[in-house]
């Protein structure tokens, strides 16, 4: 007899798919693995949702996602931040469709159930139609656990997850260094480029810890720079490195002299910032000018936080898995809150130079990632190789894995965390 | 001779044809030295200089952009879509002795690797009569989906 319904695919044996120096091609294109990733990674660990400056005042909110699930990030009147599932407890309609704004409450458009900024159910039209036992306290918007570090707001569905501080661990000092690019001012959200590419989210996860591609993919960007800047961005033959920071996180230092922006303030001001420095000098002391100029250029490293955020040189790279073969990327630009207008304009123009659908860098990255997804259809039993810089494993401080700047150390770190989480029992 | 809508429309049709043919060197010649080419993210920003855009190009940046697109070192430019665009629905927003500002609707079809995509945009253009003929002073291309995810393009709007 002919079997009309295909048997369910066997649950893949995770441990056989991730080896130390390679991962199996199915990690890019198996829908069953993608479903498990959403469940075992995005619904289990800390996922970055917003920067504090996105929701500065009471009632300020943004709508975003944790994995595939739409959420609202909102600050209540007592300044506390809540991350709420964007789903009415009655019949599931979203209670917010605006990307950002300020409000007193969230009201479902379908039957008018109204929720407070903390997610509690406040109003139900024609309440008398429900039984006496109906208790509004049981029908608040589902609220996630929220913790914050250095202005970065994370949420998780997992009440048993370690503290955010423990989760970030050795990445914390690097986040602190990254936030120095406020140039003495707080860092604030300054707009974003958002795009989708037809490929798996882990292709993007790998990219922010991949310096090896830079001179190849970004040759046309490098050619658009002046000689001094081109030299700065030609970092593959420099002293940079990639280090495993634990928990799937890693740091890639591309330009070591731009690790701590408070240092080397006496260095000559680069040619491309001379005009800006002259303009800033009218209102600022020489030390302030040097600090702002260093900040405008951004940091010289990427901190990759598993699974969805990278603090990347001068911006946040945020990834959102959409399906096994589709990913949304946001490149969030950061400005000096209260800083000089011309300094912030310079940061905006630098961001536009590289990022976005018309940038000199991102479209070439996107082309490479799309080609990875297309190519991975060939040789379904082949491996994605991550064996660059293996000799650095165990060679870093305290026996950590640390390779040269082009090493694939950060990718190996992320995939080991992936394997650990995917193998965990529910 | 004051500039009329017909003159502006013919200028923008010529420009659209240049961009579809990717004749970027000729396109460069359409601009005044102080010209600004802007593709915004935010609708109705007070000053595009103070917000993030897809493109905010003065003469120097336009020159870098054209050199990049023509360089043969950009993978996305080398594999760029074929485009066919039309621009119409013109209204005159402002007119002086030597300048005219019009707004039009641009419909662009972009074809690449089995995918056909439609990009619709409002185009606001200011055209100046100079000793060198008509020149673009400002062009703002506001995509209908500018505030949403916009996927990369290896060509100019």
């Amino acid at each position: 007899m002919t079997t009309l319904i295909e048997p369910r695919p066997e649950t893949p044996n995770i441990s056989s798919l991730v080896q130390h120096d390679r991962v199996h091609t199915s990690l890019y294109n198996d829908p069953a693995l993608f479903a498990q990733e959403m469940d075992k990674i995005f619904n289990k660990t800390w996922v970055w949702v917003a920067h504090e400056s996105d929701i500065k005042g009471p009632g300020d909110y943004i709508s975003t996602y944790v994995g595939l699930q739409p959420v609202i990030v909102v600050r209540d009147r007592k300044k506390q931040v809540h991350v709420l599932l964007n789903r009415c407890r009655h019949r599931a309609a979203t209670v917010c469709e605006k990307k950002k704004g300020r409000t007193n409450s969230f009201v479902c458009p379908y039957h008018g159930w109204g929720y407070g900024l903390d997610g509690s159910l406040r109003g139900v039209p024609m309440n008398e139609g429900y039984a006496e036992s109906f208790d509004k306290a049981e029908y608040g918007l589902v609220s996630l656990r929220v913790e914050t570090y250095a202005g970065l707001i994370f949420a998780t569905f997992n009440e048993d997850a370690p503290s955010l501080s423990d989760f970030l661990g050795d990445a914390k000092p690097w986040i602190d260094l990254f936030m120095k690019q406020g140039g003495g001012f707080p860092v604030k959200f300054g707009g974003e480029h958002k795009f989708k590419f037809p490929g798996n989210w882990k292709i993007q996860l790998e990219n922010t810890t991949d310096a090896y591609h830079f001179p190849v993919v970004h040759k046309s960007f490098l050619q658009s720079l002046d000689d001094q800047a081109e030299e700065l961005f030609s970092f593959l033959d420099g002293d940079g490195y990639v280090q495993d920071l634990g928990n799937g996180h890693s740091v890639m230092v591309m330009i070591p002299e731009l690790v701590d922006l408070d240092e080397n303030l006496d260095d000559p001001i680069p040619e491309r910032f001379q005009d800006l420095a002259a303009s800033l000098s009218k209102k600022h002391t020489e030390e302030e000018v040097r600090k702002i100029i260093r900040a405008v250029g951004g940091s010289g490293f990427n901190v990759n936080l598993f699974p969805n955020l990278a603090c990347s040189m001068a911006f946040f790279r945020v990834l959102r898995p959409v399906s096994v073969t589709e990913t949304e990327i946001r490149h969030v630009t950061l400005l000096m809150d209260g800083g000089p207008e011309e300094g912030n304009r310079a940061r905006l123009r630098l961001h536009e130079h590289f990022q976005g659908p018309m940038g000199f860098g991102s479209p070439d990255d996107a082309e490479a990632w799309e080609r990875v997804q297309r190519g991975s259809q060939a040789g379904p039993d082949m491996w994605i190789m991550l064996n660059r810089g293996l000799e650095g494993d165990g060679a870093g401080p305290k026996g950590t894995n640390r390779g040269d700047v082009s090493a694939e150390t950060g990718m190996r770190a992320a995939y080991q965390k992936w394997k650990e989480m995917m193998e965990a029992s529910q | 001779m004051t500039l009329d809508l017909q003159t502006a429309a013919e200028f923008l049709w010529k420009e659209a044809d240049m961009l579809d043919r990717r004749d970027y060197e000729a396109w460069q010649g359409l601009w005044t030295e102080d010209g600004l080419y802007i593709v915004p993210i935010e609708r109705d920003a007070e000053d595009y200089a103070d917000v993030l855009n897809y493109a905010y190009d003065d003469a120097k940046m336009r020159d870098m952009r054209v050199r990049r697109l023509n360089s043969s070192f950009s993978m996305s430019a080398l594999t760029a879509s074929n485009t066919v665009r039309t621009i119409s629905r013109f209204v005159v927003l402002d007119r002086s002795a030597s300048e005219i500002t019009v707004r039009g609707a641009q419909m662009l079809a972009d074809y690449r690797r089995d995918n056909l995509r439609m990009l619709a945009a409002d185009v606001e253009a200011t055209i100046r009569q100079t000793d060198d003929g008509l020149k673009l002073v400002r062009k703002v291309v506001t995509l209908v989906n500018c505030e949403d995810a916009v996927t990369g393009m290896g060509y100019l709007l």
Side-chain angles (χ1 to χ4, degrees):
Chain A
M1 199 178 89
T2 313
T3 310
L4 291 177
I5 297 171
E6 296 266 334
R8 275 173 66 95
E10 284 176 41
T11 307
N13 177 356
I14 298 296
S15 63
S16 69
L17 300 178
V18 178
Q19 297 181 14
H20 179 58
D21 66 347
R22 65 194 67 192
V23 296
H24 194 256
T25 298
S26 59
L27 265 69
Y28 287 165
N29 50 31
D30 181 348
L33 280 177
F34 181 81
Q36 282 193 52
E37 287 172 337
M38 294 308 103
D39 197 27
K40 294 187 160 186
I41 297 174
F42 284 86
N43 292 350
K44 283 290 183 299
T45 192
W46 288 104
V47 172
W48 183 82
V49 290
H51 184 259
E52 273 186 343
S53 64
D54 291 329
I55 48 167
K56 271 175 107 166
D60 285 353
Y61 68 85
I62 60 158
S63 52
T64 182
Y65 293 82
V66 172
L68 298 177
Q69 306 194 48
V71 299
I72 305 164
V73 185
V74 58
R75 194 180 291 278
D76 70 18
R77 283 187 191 80
K78 293 173 189 155
K79 294 274 192 147
Q80 197 183 337
V81 177
H82 301 272
V83 177
L84 308 165
L85 277 194
N86 191 355
R87 172 195 164 120
C88 181
R89 290 295 304 278
H90 177 215
R91 297 259 286 281
T94 55
V95 296
C96 176
E97 280 295 336
K98 280 177 73 180
K99 291 194 177 91
K100 63 193 296 181
R102 177 172 291 182
T103 189
N104 294 317
S105 63
F106 297 102
V107 178
C108 178
Y110 199 1
H111 304 93
W113 286 29
Y115 300 89
L117 297 177
D118 60 356
S120 58
L121 179 60
R122 296 287 167 84
V124 174
M126 297 163 64
N127 201 15
E128 63 279 9
Y130 285 98
E132 260 182 43
S133 58
F134 182 86
D135 182 1
K136 285 207 294 244
E138 290 173 16
Y139 291 93
L141 296 176
V142 173
S143 185
L144 280 70
R145 194 174 147 201
V146 182
E147 287 179 26
T148 299
Y149 182 80
L152 302 174
I153 303 170
F154 291 77
T156 180
F157 287 98
N158 185 0
E159 288 301 325
D160 299 326
S163 69
L164 177 66
S165 182
D166 286 351
F167 166 77
L168 294 173
D170 289 342
K172 284 185 292 184
W174 288 100
I175 296 170
D176 295 342
L177 286 167
F178 184 81
M179 295 304 171
K180 287 191 179 187
Q181 60 193 295
F185 301 90
V187 163
K188 73 165 179 181
F189 172 88
E192 66 185 18
H193 287 127
K194 188 162 78 170
F195 61 99
K196 287 181 179 168
F197 84 97
N200 187 269
W201 64 279
K202 298 185 293 302
I203 296 170
Q204 165 59 210
L205 181 73
E206 295 164 13
N207 184 255
T208 29
T209 178
D210 184 321
Y212 190 29
H213 80 286
F214 206 90
V216 180
V217 171
H218 301 306
K219 189 167 175 123
S220 73
F221 167 74
L222 290 168
Q223 285 178 335
S224 74
L225 303 173
D226 63 49
D227 291 347
Q228 208 178 20
E230 188 177 352
E231 169 86 27
L232 190 70
F233 280 91
S234 300
F235 40 69
L236 278 200
D237 43 12
D239 296 328
Y241 58 91
V242 187
Q243 188 174 332
D244 182 341
L245 297 175
N247 276 344
H249 315 317
S250 62
V251 63
M252 174 170 73
V253 174
M254 289 159 282
I255 307 169
E257 58 269 36
L258 293 179
V259 163
D260 188 337
L261 295 175
D262 288 342
E263 288 178 359
N264 311 324
L265 287 174
D266 295 334
D267 284 359
I269 288 173
E271 181 73 33
R272 66 190 180 288
F273 294 131
Q274 290 287 354
D275 289 350
L276 177 61
S279 168
L280 290 168
S281 298
K282 291 173 199 157
K283 284 187 193 163
H284 297 271
T285 65
E286 171 148 4
E287 198 194 328
E288 285 170 345
V289 170
R290 288 179 173 274
K291 201 165 173 173
I292 293 166
I293 294 286
R294 295 258 302 167
V296 164
S299 327
F301 60 90
N302 291 359
V303 197
N304 255 29
L305 301 175
F306 187 85
N308 78 322
L309 178 70
C311 299
S312 175
M313 299 193 92
F315 64 97
F316 295 149
R317 184 277 290 142
V318 188
L319 67 80
R320 176 168 77 87
V322 177
S323 74
V324 65
T325 56
E326 188 173 24
T327 305
E328 182 185 273
I329 315 292
R330 291 156 57 202
H331 290 156
V332 177
T333 187
L334 303 167
L335 300 178
M336 298 171 273
D337 195 358
E341 182 186 70
E342 62 267 54
N344 278 334
R345 283 186 174 185
R347 280 195 57 105
L348 289 164
R349 300 294 89 79
L350 287 172
H351 192 85
E352 288 159 0
H353 187 162
F354 192 91
Q355 318 293 345
M358 298 183 78
F360 290 21
S362 296
D364 294 327
D365 275 325
E367 168 67 8
W369 308 332
E370 183 178 335
R371 298 270 283 264
V372 170
Q373 188 71 36
R374 288 166 73 87
S376 75
Q377 294 300 315
D381 287 329
M382 292 172 73
W383 296 89
I384 307 293
M385 299 310 301
L386 308 166
N387 52 351
R388 201 176 160 80
L390 278 174
E391 69 284 358
D393 287 4
K398 295 182 203 160
T400 51
N401 300 331
R402 176 163 148 169
D404 76 277
V405 66
S406 74
E408 285 157 349
T409 313
M411 295 169 221
R412 292 196 290 275
Y415 280 113
Q416 286 308 315
K417 184 65 181 175
W418 184 92
K419 181 180 174 182
E420 177 197 316
M421 295 198 76
M422 291 287 279
E423 283 184 322
S425 53
Q426 289 297 332
Chain B
M1 184 189 87
T2 55
L3 294 168
D4 60 12
L5 179 57
Q6 182 65 25
T7 309
E10 284 177 17
F11 179 89
L12 292 171
W13 288 331
K14 188 174 74 176
E15 189 217 358
D17 186 62
M18 276 178 192
L19 291 177
D20 277 340
R21 286 183 292 109
R22 289 185 229 167
D23 189 355
Y24 299 134
E25 298 286 346
W27 182 75
Q28 277 281 66
L30 295 182
W31 288 88
T32 59
E33 188 53 32
D34 60 344
L36 277 178
Y37 170 61
I38 303 169
V39 184
I41 294 173
E42 285 185 32
R43 285 181 181 280
D44 311 318
E46 214 166 280
D47 187 342
Y48 294 116
D50 290 324
V51 294
L52 189 69
N53 303 283
Y54 294 120
Y56 186 92
D57 289 7
D58 56 12
K60 187 180 167 207
M61 191 68 181
R62 270 198 309 280
D63 182 50
M64 279 158 55
R65 190 178 294 280
V66 165
R67 271 191 284 148
R68 172 177 177 273
L69 292 173
N70 286 339
S71 72
S72 80
F73 288 117
S74 158
M75 274 199 292
S76 59
L78 283 174
T79 58
S81 313
N82 291 327
T83 61
V84 174
R85 73 191 78 194
T86 181
I87 178 165
S88 185
R89 195 211 61 196
F90 292 113
V91 290
V92 176
L93 298 180
D94 196 17
R95 185 154 38 184
S96 68
S98 61
E99 287 189 6
I100 184 168
T101 299
V102 300
R103 181 172 60 229
Q106 175 167 286
M107 303 297 274
L108 180 153
D110 134 349
Y111 171 73
R112 179 173 179 274
R113 275 188 208 143
D114 309 330
N115 280 314
L116 188 61
R117 156 169 81 157
M118 171 69 81
L119 286 176
D122 280 305
V123 177
E124 204 176 296
T126 300
I127 298 157
R128 183 184 296 162
Q129 181 75 62
T130 73
D131 294 342
D132 267 347
L134 297 174
K135 299 283 177 189
L136 263 175
V137 185
R138 183 180 166 91
K139 180 182 174 188
V140 181
V141 185
T142 308
L143 291 165
V144 70
N145 57 333
C146 60
E147 292 179 344
D148 203 345
V150 175
T151 295
M153 56 195 92
Y155 54 87
L156 295 180
L157 290 169

